[in-house]
Amino acid sequence: MSREGAEYALRARADERDRISGDLLDLESHTTYQLLKGAALDGMTRQRWTAVQAALARLWLLNDAYRAVLREAEQVRAVRAKPGAEQLDELTRLLSGPSVVLRAAAKPVEQRSLLPEADERLTLDETVARMDGAFREVTSALNDIDAVWNAVLPRLDDADRALRELRDLERELGESAGLDAQESQLRRMRAALLSDPLGAGVGPDLGGVARALAEARAEVDQAIVVKREYARRREDLVAALDRVRAAESEARLAHGAVVVKIALPPQARPRSRVEELTGELDALDASADTWVVRARRLAAVESEAAKAADRARATAKALYGLVGRRDELRGRLGACQAMAVRKGMAEDPAATACFERARSLLWTAPCDLTEAAAAVETYQRAIHGGKP
């Protein structure tokens, strides 16, 4: 190695040493590394961390031997301002040859032989390559653990925050929402995630807890609203039941008015739900249920009251619509009779018989709409040349 080559190689190795030292310091200060170094690990993570510690031991051993060779080379270079042939030979040996000596490690007695264990010799490049392999093994484990923590810990924090908010709402409500199981599950998940992030697998279970907390939050929010507004909503519900009563009365009146004109089946008689809903409201007033349960029951009665009123109004409209359908058929029959006159079929015996049957059905009370519609259709076909 020439003087210039030796100077260049020594400077390059010094820069390399400084860069490696910086990387090792960064590793030492890495947050995840610091957490794991003092943690009580378990399962897959403990197995992985045991391998990491072995890699770290190799890394520091290699680094110490590497730095020792560089110190020796710097001492050789410092002997003279301009190194002579003897110094250049020594620098060449140190910087380019197998100058890094790794002492043979002591083995357990069952792995020994009576022959001496040979030390291993490496060049600086080989030493750096081995250090890089050990370094990558460590950082790979840190990255894998980081990936799990970065993905799951924020979700776990969100679930914990949701649970704390629910606990505050429980105090406002003055009753429990039954969250002890979720709280215990979250504690177990956090402990598992910190002790064994690579084997905990808490993601799916955490999703179930988060959904349960969201459902509980919706119920508690509704219960608080009900507690605050129960008196007003009860008054509104009483008014809604009055509307149900009025709508059902209208449906009964419609049935009474229509049944004398149109033949109706027994199931067409309107059924009342107002008494049943009033009873449910009275039971709700006397209930000792929690506000969460009362909120569900109140919402159910409100919904059923709205449906009952709509159903009664629809029934009344449908009943009156049957009279309209009869009148429509009467008008259609008259139009068909006029057409028969224009076509010269007013005296046709078959058409006349069809007309009389349809007219009799439509002007008989109560009218059978099904038979009347069929009779009008038959008459219409008869005047158009079809068979009656």
Side-chain angles (χ1 to χ4, degrees):
M1 183 178 288
S2 66
R3 184 181 294 116
E4 292 79 6
E7 293 283 357
Y8 175 81
L10 195 56
R11 285 195 303 271
R13 291 299 180 182
D15 291 341
E16 181 181 63
R17 176 187 58 200
D18 293 342
R19 177 179 53 77
I20 291 173
S21 296
D23 288 340
L24 293 179
L25 286 174
D26 289 342
L27 177 61
E28 283 281 337
S29 61
H30 192 278
T31 303
T32 302
Y33 177 83
Q34 291 295 325
L35 288 172
L36 292 169
K37 191 165 66 170
L41 300 177
D42 198 10
M44 293 176 58
T45 307
R46 182 171 63 184
Q47 295 175 8
R48 184 80 175 272
W49 190 244
T50 299
V52 164
Q53 288 177 311
L56 281 168
R58 294 196 306 273
L59 176 57
W60 287 112
L61 179 66
L62 289 163
N63 186 61
D64 289 344
Y66 169 84
R67 292 174 68 88
V69 170
L70 288 185
R71 282 196 303 272
E72 186 178 353
E74 289 172 342
Q75 291 169 358
V76 170
R77 173 62 188 84
V79 170
R80 298 174 58 180
K82 292 185 177 182
E86 184 179 350
Q87 285 80 30
L88 289 175
D89 289 344
E90 183 65 8
L91 287 172
T92 300
R93 181 187 71 80
L94 292 170
L95 298 176
S96 300
S99 54
V100 178
V101 179
L102 299 180
R103 301 299 178 189
K107 294 182 178 180
V109 66
E110 66 272 13
Q111 298 179 13
R112 298 177 193 169
S113 73
L114 295 179
L115 299 176
E117 294 288 341
D119 296 336
E120 187 176 10
R121 291 183 172 273
L122 304 171
T123 65
L124 291 176
D125 284 339
E126 291 171 338
T127 304
V128 171
R130 286 202 185 181
M131 283 194 288
D132 183 61
F135 186 82
R136 288 177 183 275
E137 184 176 348
V138 175
T139 56
S140 174
L142 294 179
N143 286 334
D144 290 346
I145 293 170
D146 261 342
V148 176
W149 279 349
N150 291 336
V152 182
L153 277 176
R155 294 173 56 202
L156 191 58
D157 291 341
D158 289 342
D160 282 334
R161 183 167 51 254
L163 179 62
R164 288 194 301 272
E165 292 173 356
L166 273 166
R167 290 302 191 194
D168 292 339
L169 292 174
E170 279 182 328
R171 286 188 284 274
E172 179 181 348
L173 191 60
E175 58 192 37
S176 172
L179 303 171
D180 291 346
Q182 287 79 12
E183 186 172 18
S184 298
Q185 198 169 1
L186 286 176
R187 281 199 300 267
R188 289 194 299 269
M189 287 181 186
R190 187 172 290 277
L193 190 62
L194 293 178
S195 65
D196 187 16
L198 297 180
V202 302
D205 292 339
L206 181 56
V209 172
R211 287 191 294 274
L213 290 175
E215 292 170 0
R217 176 59 185 266
E219 288 190 341
V220 170
D221 284 342
Q222 185 183 19
I224 288 175
V225 170
V226 169
K227 182 179 179 180
R228 292 172 181 168
E229 302 180 356
Y230 185 77
R232 178 189 60 77
R233 287 178 65 176
R234 189 190 184 286
E235 291 179 1
D236 291 344
L237 184 52
V238 170
L241 292 176
D242 287 339
R243 290 192 291 273
V244 173
R245 192 174 288 105
E248 290 181 349
S249 176
E250 181 183 353
R252 287 193 297 272
L253 290 173
H255 182 270
V258 172
V259 74
V260 297
K261 299 177 181 179
I262 307 296
L264 299 176
Q267 59 267 29
R269 180 180 296 276
R271 291 180 296 172
S272 174
R273 289 209 61 202
V274 69
E275 297 305 323
E276 175 190 350
L277 294 173
T278 300
E280 290 180 11
L281 177 57
D282 293 339
L284 188 57
D285 287 338
S287 171
D289 288 335
T290 65
W291 281 107
V292 172
V293 175
R294 293 177 78 179
R296 291 196 211 109
R297 292 179 59 184
L298 179 62
V301 177
E302 289 171 335
S303 175
E304 289 301 314
K307 291 178 182 177
D310 290 342
R311 191 179 301 114
R313 285 190 285 266
T315 298
K317 183 177 180 181
L319 287 169
Y320 286 125
L322 294 177
V323 177
R325 172 61 173 160
R326 184 204 62 181
D327 294 342
E328 177 192 350
L329 289 171
R330 285 178 175 181
R332 184 176 163 192
L333 181 64
C336 290
Q337 185 184 31
M339 183 177 294
V341 172
R342 289 195 300 273
K343 296 180 69 171
M345 298 185 66
E347 303 300 328
D348 182 82
T352 299
C354 291
F355 171 79
E356 291 298 336
R357 172 167 170 72
R359 185 177 183 283
S360 174
L361 287 169
L362 286 171
W363 269 266
T364 296
C367 171
D368 187 326
L369 279 180
T370 302
E371 290 192 16
V376 171
E377 183 69 25
T378 300
Y379 178 54
Q380 188 172 6
R381 286 200 305 271
I383 63 176
H384 283 89
K387 294 181 180 180

